[in-house]
Amino acid sequence: MARNTPLRTADRQVFELIEGETTRQENGLEMIPSENHSSVAVREALGSVFTDKYSEGYPGKRYYGGQEFTDKVENLAIERAKKLFGVEHVNVQPYSGSPANHSVYFALCEPGDVVMGQSLTAGGHLTHGWKVNFSGKIYKGVQYSVRADGIIDVEEARKLALEHRPKLIWVGATAYSRELPFDEFAKIAEEVGAYLAADISHISGLVAGGAHKSPVPHVHIVTTTTHKTLRGPRGAMVMVTKKGIEKDPELPSKIDKAVFPGLQGGPHDHQTAAIAVALGEALQPDFRKYAEQIVKNSRALAKSLAENGIKVVTGGSDNHLLLIDLTPFGIGKGLYGQEALEAAGITVNKNTIPAEPCSPFYPSGVRLGTPAITTRGMKEKEMQEVGEIISSALKIGCVHPFPEEKEKRETAIAAAKGAIRSDKGLKKLREETLKLCKEFPLHKK
Ligand code: DSN
């Protein structure tokens, strides 16, 4: 087959899978808060010939030839990130969020060192010292949590830090709906002499657009993925702040050495090109409006859910996400919530809630967010309607029993899933979702 044969002809099977996914996204509401819809320009850069190039090293210091354009594109991404976030140093090469965070450990810690982060079950991330992750196996992970009201327990974090003297402290979360207290964590890190890293993967688009306060004046290092609220390709960056360089002038070179050659080989230049495009988009004035609208939508959705009798952890949202507490329907109902919403055309993920009464595999909540539906152009008015659809779907799906006895669960779950998939009420809600999707098309023809 000719090398320039388009996918449609070259590989019908893969072509049809991509078509299927395109239609699924077009006809449903993607509300997993870590997802978004990237622009055609971002995806064009991602699919460019940069995918064919090897460029181990950094601009001006590569191990292979032919770097005229890779150097320029990487420098462009770096300069745009510096301008957007107001930082001194940026590494745009990490393949994704976990490798980016791994590079911070590799740069700063020795195996066995104490590190501290927000517990996974309280909304933190695996790579912030959780026991089954490298960060909790190679290093000694101390985990702070949230209070009964769902707000980060800064006092607990302070006590743990004074007791365990971590070398590295993380502030950042994947299932936390309120502003992150960067300033409070800066005081804690100062007190124990720790490096403070903010993982803003979820909220970097909000920070870039001025809709969430910036960690930059408070922390030494900032990590972020590029594909969530920032709306770029999958990828990540590690940034060093002025405060970071004041604490440790070697920090930029420590991070760079940790990424390459410490953890990675050749950077993904196509990914770097697409990150540059996304950063260019985020520097435009309309990105600020987008970021503000994400938060307005999240607040409007929380209000609509509350009005429809659905319990939201912390009672609302300051950012792009909401955590729904399904315990009023019984424990372990997250899976049923996720299934019912999927049947209604809305994609979310089941999630633990603070002080989870069941288990991480059968959690009692669902996590959802507004970045992707805001990209479609939806505003507060639509959030009222989306909140009504979600509430109705949860009330249908979460009535099915979830047995406390483990041996009875498999049968009960199969029965619940079957009932949810054939439920007429959910089918009707699916029609309402589809109508909204048609009003706010994703790929305008
Ligand atoms: N998987 C990401 C999320 O959904 O939040 C975090 O790594």
Side-chain angles (χ1 to χ4, degrees):
M1 192 161 318
R3 219 175 38 80
N4 59 357
T5 306
L7 184 65
R8 168 192 296 276
T9 319
D11 192 329
R12 198 71 204 167
Q13 269 179 300
V14 172
F15 175 78
E16 279 170 12
L17 292 173
I18 295 173
E19 287 287 287
E21 175 62 11
T22 306
T23 308
R24 189 193 69 77
Q25 291 186 17
E26 179 80 55
N27 292 341
L29 298 181
E30 298 304 300
M31 293 190 72
I32 292 174
S34 46
E35 294 183 2
N36 211 329
H37 302 293
S38 55
S39 68
V40 169
V42 163
R43 283 181 279 124
E44 197 177 322
L46 196 62
S48 69
V49 292
F50 276 123
T51 200
D52 298 335
K53 189 71 193 114
Y54 252 122
S55 60
E56 273 105 331
Y58 290 100
K61 291 171 280 181
R62 307 282 192 185
Y63 286 79
Y64 298 169
Q67 308 297 343
E68 183 183 353
F69 299 102
T70 51
D71 277 7
K72 283 186 181 139
V73 86
E74 187 165 335
N75 280 330
L76 187 61
I78 290 168
E79 288 313 311
R80 287 179 177 176
K82 279 183 173 175
K83 189 167 171 200
L84 188 63
F85 291 100
V87 290
E88 302 295 308
H89 179 81
V90 183
N91 187 308
V92 295
Q93 294 193 4
Y95 299 145
S96 201
S98 295
N101 289 353
H102 201 165
S103 75
V104 176
Y105 289 91
F106 209 55
L108 303 178
C109 302
E110 295 300 325
D113 277 352
V114 179
V115 298
M116 187 172 91
Q118 187 169 335
S119 156
L120 182 74
T121 50
H125 191 253
L126 275 171
T127 57
H128 298 177
W130 188 244
K131 54 196 169 199
V132 299
N133 185 258
F134 79 88
S135 59
K137 282 182 179 280
I138 299 177
Y139 309 97
K140 186 173 177 300
V142 172
Q143 304 271 273
Y144 57 86
S145 190
V146 291
R147 305 183 312 223
D149 61 1
I151 304 294
I152 290 176
D153 194 339
V154 175
E155 254 329 288
E156 183 198 28
R158 189 170 168 274
K159 278 190 197 131
L160 287 170
L162 288 172
E163 186 186 339
H164 298 279
R165 318 291 298 187
K167 190 159 186 189
L168 169 66
I169 298 176
W170 288 96
V171 53
T174 63
Y176 188 65
S177 60
R178 296 299 183 174
E179 274 224 331
L180 290 169
F182 301 124
D183 46 351
E184 302 277 358
F185 275 85
K187 284 185 216 146
I188 296 172
E190 197 74 38
E191 250 182 290
V192 298
Y195 286 100
L196 180 61
D199 179 346
I200 61 165
S201 293
H202 265 259
I203 55 164
S204 54
L206 304 183
V207 171
H212 188 292
K213 69 183 167 207
S214 169
V216 170
H218 308 286
V219 309
H220 307 115
I221 293 170
V222 180
T223 66
T224 182
T225 48
T226 46
H227 48 275
K228 298 185 174 92
T229 46
L230 198 54
R231 214 163 51 179
R234 306 197 81 82
M237 306 190 289
V238 181
M239 305 184 260
V240 180
T241 64
K242 187 164 172 278
K243 188 173 174 179
I245 292 175
E246 279 163 11
K247 178 175 172 65
D248 180 355
E250 300 299 310
L251 212 38
S253 72
K254 283 183 184 171
I255 292 291
D256 285 353
K257 281 185 194 142
V259 174
F260 172 84
L263 293 166
Q264 296 186 174
H268 295 171
D269 296 311
H270 58 305
Q271 191 179 41
T272 304
I275 289 173
V277 174
L279 292 168
E281 289 175 359
L283 282 163
Q284 302 306 313
D286 61 355
F287 195 84
R288 292 187 83 80
K289 289 203 193 101
Y290 167 64
E292 281 161 20
Q293 192 62 49
I294 290 176
V295 179
K296 283 184 193 166
N297 283 355
S298 193
R299 292 202 166 119
L301 182 59
K303 185 164 172 281
S304 171
L305 290 168
E307 283 166 3
N308 287 285
I310 298 297
K311 190 172 171 194
V312 173
V313 174
T314 77
S317 174
D318 294 331
N319 57 23
H320 63 302
L321 75 76
L322 298 160
L323 198 52
I324 293 179
D325 177 351
L326 293 170
T327 52
F329 298 98
I331 69 157
K333 296 288 180 99
L335 176 64
Y336 297 170
Q338 177 184 305
E339 290 283 324
L341 289 170
E342 188 150 351
I346 296 175
T347 313
V348 302
N349 65 278
K350 60 185 160 75
N351 214 96
T352 51
I353 53 167
E356 173 58 51
C358 198
S359 76
F361 200 71
Y362 293 115
S364 302
V366 291
R367 185 186 71 149
L368 70 168
T370 55
I373 60 174
T374 306
T375 293
R376 291 183 89 125
M378 293 185 187
K379 296 216 163 90
E380 290 94 320
K381 179 171 162 281
E382 288 74 40
M383 293 308 110
Q384 178 67 35
E385 198 178 334
V386 172
E388 284 162 13
I389 298 172
I390 291 171
S391 308
S392 304
L394 293 176
K395 286 172 193 168
I396 295 172
C398 295
V399 295
H400 297 286
F402 180 81
E404 288 200 19
E405 304 88 330
K406 287 192 176 144
E407 60 284 1
K408 292 188 183 162
R409 282 183 186 166
E410 207 179 313
T411 318
I413 290 169
K417 280 188 178 175
I420 286 169
R421 279 178 199 151
S422 59
D423 190 278
K424 288 201 176 69
L426 290 171
K427 286 197 167 66
K428 204 161 155 279
L429 292 171
R430 176 86 191 83
E431 293 307 312
E432 286 178 37
T433 303
L434 192 57
K435 196 162 154 278
L436 263 176
C437 292
K438 300 276 180 220
E439 275 174 51
F440 294 87
L442 200 46
H443 306 290
K444 293 195 179 84
K445 294 278 174 333

